[in-house]
Amino acid sequence: TGLSTSTVIVMSSHHWLLAWVGLELNTLSILPLIMKLGHPRATEATTKYFLAQATAAALILFSATMNAWETGQWEMTAPLSPAVATMISSAIMMKLGLAPVHAWYPEVLQGSTITMALVISTWQKMAPFTLLYMMAGQLPTKMLLLVGLVSALIGGWSGLNQTQTRKIMAFSSIAHVGWLLIAMALNPSLAILTLMIYILMTTAMFMSLNTTTMKALTDLGTTWTQSPALAALTILALFSLGGLPPLTGFLPKWLILNELCSIKLMPLATTLALASLPSLYFYVRMTYLILLTAPPNTTNMEHKWRFDGHLISFLPPAMMLTLLLLPILPVLISN
């Protein structure tokens, strides 16, 4: 309830102080959920999350106070000076876990459960993204394009040597939010579409990992023993995350690259397209481990021991939407 209320406060307010209160409520509401396990890693993840979010929120409050001192207005629609807009954008990027202030993000996801990693990767990004959307006309465009490109590069390269699925998804998220930031600099409506598809794909992937208890790459080879159909859908979801046509994940990347080319930013578009290749590599590596490898077996144990998993009711429709939304592109363009 605290998470939803705080996000609604941010979305409905036009006052910097109320927006800051919403961000703080959002942070404080999720801290007990992250450390619910009581494990030292969960406590460490909670501490890192709190420090990163509190630092960013303090910078937002400081910047808004400085803007109010200069202009006499607390309204978010009031004009911002370039320095204030840059500071607030930097703080929001820290909240989103974008490069180069991303180091806390994979550690927090690794220290929390898969369900909480899903919440941090999706729901917790909505409030900072709302602030960016409300500042759309005053954002430092060059800074957003640069940070988005660096995040896409770092998210791809840093994920190559990871063996834990939550850390792989963390670096995948950093790369995807980098694309999202570039979309925000180009076209806020395109950024909303990109965010919706990112949340959809990430939700489907995390629910699949949770259902099959895939916590490390070594667990991927035993997925087929629990559900061959879910293993096949997980492979397709990984391809969608990588942005391969004709799956849903291709849609935002196609539109963003098209937008960049239409305003003659060909070098940025080319670099961004190449930056998605390392991410695609570790997605394909995961599909290889699921599809083409078999775990070492003894004669008396053929299947990995695990608790009986229950299928989450939202997983099948999430998977279908993750794979089959590309045909709605003409409708989106016409609207």
Side-chain angles (χ1 to χ4, degrees):
T1 305
L3 290 177
S4 57
T5 303
S6 55
T7 306
V8 168
I9 288 175
V10 175
M11 290 180 174
S12 60
S13 68
H14 292 277
H15 195 284
W16 278 113
L17 198 57
L18 280 177
W20 173 78
V21 168
L23 290 173
E24 286 297 295
L25 281 174
N26 187 258
T27 300
L28 295 174
S29 299
I30 201 174
L31 295 180
L33 300 176
I34 300 175
M35 63 180 177
K36 182 182 176 183
L37 289 178
H39 193 276
R41 283 186 180 175
T43 308
E44 180 186 352
T46 306
T47 306
K48 289 178 178 177
Y49 185 80
F50 171 75
L51 290 175
Q53 298 294 316
T55 303
L59 183 56
I60 289 174
L61 182 60
F62 169 74
S63 305
T65 306
M66 192 168 75
N67 186 65
W69 177 57
E70 290 178 355
T71 65
Q73 298 185 46
W74 282 96
E75 293 294 321
M76 297 178 69
T77 52
L80 299 175
S81 67
V84 170
T86 301
M87 283 195 293
I88 293 178
S89 299
S90 302
I92 293 174
M93 290 168 198
M94 186 174 185
K95 274 190 164 292
L96 291 170
L98 287 163
V101 283
H102 66 284
W104 62 271
Y105 188 62
E107 300 297 326
V108 169
L109 257 61
Q110 182 59 29
S112 54
T113 63
I114 293 180
T115 304
M116 286 316 304
L118 167 61
V119 174
I120 294 169
S121 299
T122 54
W123 182 263
Q124 292 299 97
K125 294 190 184 300
M126 292 181 68
F129 176 80
T130 303
L131 291 184
L132 275 182
Y133 184 80
M134 296 178 75
M135 294 169 57
Q138 308 182 65
L139 293 173
T141 305
K142 292 181 181 178
M143 176 185 172
L144 261 62
L145 292 175
L146 178 61
V147 171
L149 178 60
V150 171
S151 298
L153 286 166
I154 289 181
W157 285 105
S158 301
L160 289 176
N161 64 341
Q162 301 299 325
T163 58
Q164 301 293 318
T165 53
R166 276 167 292 184
K167 280 198 173 183
I168 289 174
M169 291 303 296
F171 286 111
S172 165
S173 175
I174 291 170
H176 276 96
V177 178
W179 282 81
L180 176 60
L181 205 63
I182 291 176
M184 176 58 73
L186 301 172
N187 184 344
S189 300
L190 176 57
I192 290 180
L193 173 66
T194 306
L195 177 68
M196 290 170 57
I197 292 178
Y198 159 76
I199 289 176
L200 184 64
M201 293 190 300
T202 306
T203 301
M205 195 61 219
F206 268 114
M207 286 195 300
S208 176
L209 295 177
N210 194 32
T211 303
T212 54
T213 62
M214 291 190 287
K215 296 183 178 179
L217 292 182
T218 52
D219 298 328
L220 300 182
T222 59
T223 309
W224 64 272
T225 62
Q226 183 175 0
S227 174
L230 183 57
L233 288 174
T234 303
I235 290 170
L236 292 174
L238 285 167
F239 285 149
S240 185
L241 276 170
L244 292 182
L247 304 174
T248 303
F250 177 63
L251 177 58
K253 293 187 176 182
W254 182 14
L255 293 176
I256 291 170
L257 291 177
N258 180 61
E259 195 82 18
L260 285 170
C261 293
S262 66
I263 57 174
K264 303 298 187 289
L265 286 177
M266 297 297 292
L268 178 59
T270 305
T271 310
L272 196 59
L274 293 174
S276 65
L277 292 178
S279 298
L280 182 60
Y281 172 79
F282 60 71
Y283 295 137
V284 172
R285 182 179 61 182
M286 290 176 71
T287 64
Y288 170 78
L289 292 171
I290 294 173
L291 186 64
L292 298 176
T293 60
N297 294 323
T298 58
T299 54
N300 60 350
M301 189 187 80
E302 294 185 0
H303 304 300
K304 175 187 172 184
W305 179 87
R306 53 161 61 92
F307 291 111
D308 288 334
H310 63 282
L311 188 64
I312 304 169
S313 58
F314 184 64
L315 180 54
M319 276 291 184
M320 290 301 101
L321 292 173
T322 299
L323 304 179
L324 302 174
L325 276 185
L326 189 64
I328 71 166
L329 178 61
V331 178
L332 295 174
I333 292 177
S334 64
N335 290 333

